Amino acid sequence: MLWFVAPYALFSLAATKMDAYPLVAMPAVEVMIAAALVTTWQFAVAEAPGIRLRSLMMILCSTLVLLPLRFTAERWRPFRRASNGLALTRDYKLLAKYIGPGPGLLVDVPDPISAMFYTGWTALGRPATAEELTEARARGWRIVRPALPGH
């Protein structure tokens, strides 16, 4: 349990919240899920009273095993046109040349992680709040809301 809680507690204190931060805790999460599934499956097979409860528990276990496939397919984006992602990458590279080096804040961009990767600026996937704008200005950052064509 400490293997799971410690990384989440530590990275919750970080000023930036990158998607990859909790990955160090994923093996612990997977072990806990596997233990819960095995225990539930064994209970359903051996001790669950009634066929309905037994079937429901087995369906639950099967669904939890198949659930990662849904997120894997979503991550691969098999039905998304590749040219759309390439166009966005091209737009971020052009934006980086246009705005120059940071520090700065990009607001309301479609893919903030890619925007930060290609520009080196901090990026938000939504409009900035008044507090965020005030903080960025206090740091001396430029604030840009790019008009990306087709996005």
Side-chain angles (χ1 to χ4, degrees):
M1 189 63 128
L2 183 63
W3 185 12
F4 168 71
V5 173
Y8 272 91
L10 178 68
F11 290 120
S12 294
L13 300 174
T16 58
K17 305 291 191 253
M18 299 291 290
D19 293 340
Y21 287 172
L23 289 180
V24 296
M26 285 310 297
V29 171
E30 292 165 0
V31 167
M32 289 187 296
I33 290 172
L37 284 173
V38 167
T39 303
T40 303
W41 187 269
Q42 288 173 343
F43 176 78
V45 169
E47 301 175 28
I51 189 72
R52 283 188 174 169
L53 181 59
R54 185 175 303 131
S55 298
L56 183 63
M57 292 177 79
M58 288 180 167
I59 289 170
L60 173 70
C61 289
S62 301
T63 304
L64 288 175
V65 169
L66 296 175
L67 189 61
L69 295 177
R70 180 234 185 238
F71 289 106
T72 300
E74 180 181 306
R75 190 76 177 154
W76 283 342
R77 298 176 182 157
F79 304 111
R80 182 178 171 200
R81 289 184 17 204
S83 62
N84 188 24
L86 295 175
L88 189 58
T89 299
R90 184 194 68 237
D91 292 343
Y92 284 137
K93 288 179 180 179
L94 290 172
L95 178 64
K97 289 180 182 178
Y98 177 74
I99 61 177
L105 177 65
L106 297 173
V107 296
D108 206 14
V109 294
D111 185 358
I113 301 297
S114 294
M116 288 188 284
F117 178 78
Y118 288 108
T119 65
W121 285 41
T122 301
L124 297 173
R126 57 176 171 70
T129 64
E131 295 83 23
E132 290 167 333
L133 293 173
T134 302
E135 182 180 342
R137 288 186 185 111
R139 292 180 180 197
W141 290 5
R142 291 189 301 155
I143 300 165
V144 175
R145 183 183 184 273
L148 298 171
H151 304 288

